[in-house]
Amino acid sequence: MLLSVLLLLLVGCTHASHFYGTMMTYNPKEIQGSDLIVVVRYKLSFRSCTDGDTWSCSGNCGSLVGTPQIVLEASNELWCQREAVWTWRLSSNAPSSLTLSGGNWISGIKNSVILWKAVTQVELRNRSDTGRPNASPQTTIMPSLRVPSNCRRDYDLLAFDPDGDEVQCRYGMLSECNPCNDPTVLSLSDNCTLSFSPTSSANEGPYAVQMMMEDFPRQTITLTQTDGSFVVKNPFQDLSKIPVQFVLKVDPAVASCTEGVFLPKFLPPTPANKDRLYADVDQTLKILVRAEAANSTITTLLFSGPHGVAQVGDGSGNFNLTWTPSDSHNNESHPICFVVQAVSSSSSSTLYHSDLRCIIVTVGGTPPPANITITPTQTVTETKQTTPEPSTPEPLTPEPSTPSPTDESTLSTQLIPVGNNFVVAMSIGISTNLPWEDIKDEFLTQLKAEFVRRGLPPDLSLQILKSQRV
Ligand SMILES: *[C@@H]1O[C@H](CO)[C@@H](O)[C@H](O)[C@H]1NC(C)=O
Ligand SMILES: *[C@@H]1O[C@H](CO)[C@@H](O)[C@H](O)[C@H]1NC(C)=O
Ligand SMILES: *[C@@H]1O[C@H](CO)[C@@H](O)[C@H](O)[C@H]1NC(C)=O
Ligand SMILES: *[C@@H]1O[C@H](CO)[C@@H](O)[C@H](O)[C@H]1NC(C)=O
Ligand SMILES: *[C@@H]1O[C@H](CO)[C@@H](O)[C@H](O)[C@H]1NC(C)=O
Ligand SMILES: *[C@@H]1O[C@H](CO)[C@@H](O)[C@H](O)[C@H]1NC(C)=O
């Protein structure tokens, strides 16, 4: 076996208490002559933007070029996440592994992890099902997430795979970390859901969460190496492994775990977890995030995504996340995760996090034609119950509170492409016993919010062309 070791130097020092985790993904881009060009992305999370560390490569290493860029520096949380994008040129697609190791994680880690270690197992051999080199699962992770010790929370992590493989998560084992002590306060399912259950105050403090994400083929495939040798992989065998590491901070108990009291609660039009949005190269995608918390003050939107994602807030729980993909992102999908942070009114050092939300942004791909699988929300029938009933002698519609087949709106659509835009004409049946004039504005607002939540661009416009009683 040929072994070569390559070190890449980033700024900074080692041996301080400052690590907040990492993650790495790779994606083969193209073949140039006899070389395979692979894009490797990783995130490094440290207390400050000047801390750093180096990944080392063993196996088939080729040459790597790239510089880390700051994703987000969260000053009151005291972390900085950077993303590096390497262009990796390989003359062979033989396996290799990339390792990050050093010390130390932030101090006081409850599951007794001090040194850091993360390992990526790279599999780039040609797949028989796609005819292309294998890509790793794609994901991103926040440096730190907070939960009060008395609250329940599920972190449904985002993971997808460009080859259509099944992605599974597990905790790191053996030489994948140093050491791989599982955080006892969390349970991790195969489907990448991390569940936190209420625990005693003795368990409060930071935990190092050291996971591995793996891709499994959905059918038996062969992987062929440049030298002609091949291996068979069945659906129970992982192809690649990527590390996903962060800090979970278990905070003191809070008086109420209900979202919207102390813990910020997301409001429309915030995209739902795992929503897919579409963006074009050189066009700015704007993602509206809204949250509320009655008994704390929302201050910050924390996020993790490709570098270049930015946010602005108006100081009252409204944030706009923006991202302008460049040509290098074309035909790729990128995850963006976010959390809204609030501060306690009585103590500025008590911070509360909302749930974690992650979305996928697909660049350059045309959204699937809006062949409306959208079932309009039935909220129309719930709004403004206090408005006087219309004095219709015989109600033509069923009671709003009893969902019945006729309570479902019905849609028929027609697509008219206009350049890159679409005009969609919809005919919608609505059942309500409130006067249409009184509710139509609210109806349009809510329908629009729902469309945006499901991935249509926020600048879509909706118009009523005609309405009539049926
Ligand atoms: C992988 O397969 C593609 C299509 O079958 C082929 O063009 C390419 O040369 C193969 N690459 C390697 C490294 O075997
Ligand atoms: C993941 O698996 C867990 C345990 O089996 C289950 O409770 C949860 O609903 C699953 N999550 C998703 C998103 O499927
Ligand atoms: C939240 O604030 C309101 C009004 O200030 C107060 O009445 C209520 O008790 C608070 N809730 C909790 C759970 O502290
Ligand atoms: C976010 O964008 C919306 C729509 O473009 C705009 O109305 C709003 O003022 C922006 N909010 C912030 C906080 O900048
Ligand atoms: C994007 O994908 C399309 C269709 O698969 C392809 O024609 C195009 O060349 C790709 N563009 C880039 C920049 O890879
Ligand atoms: C659109 O929806 C109709 C009815 O659900 C379905 O028959 C049709 O195949 C869909 N078209 C596309 C392009 O998905």
Side-chain angles (χ1 to χ4, degrees), residues 54-75:
T54 58
W55 285 83
S56 60
C57 173
S58 69
N60 169 34
C61 289
S63 69
L64 286 158
V65 191
T67 340
Q69 306 281 341
I70 292 172
V71 174
L72 179 63
E73 183 171 10
S75 49

Side-chain angles (χ1 to χ4, degrees), residues 154 156-157 187-195 273-274:
D154 285 333
D156 187 6
L157 303 179
S187 74
L188 174 59
S189 311
D190 283 358
N191 60 15
C192 303
T193 300
L194 269 170
S195 303
N273 195 35
K274 300 192 172 174

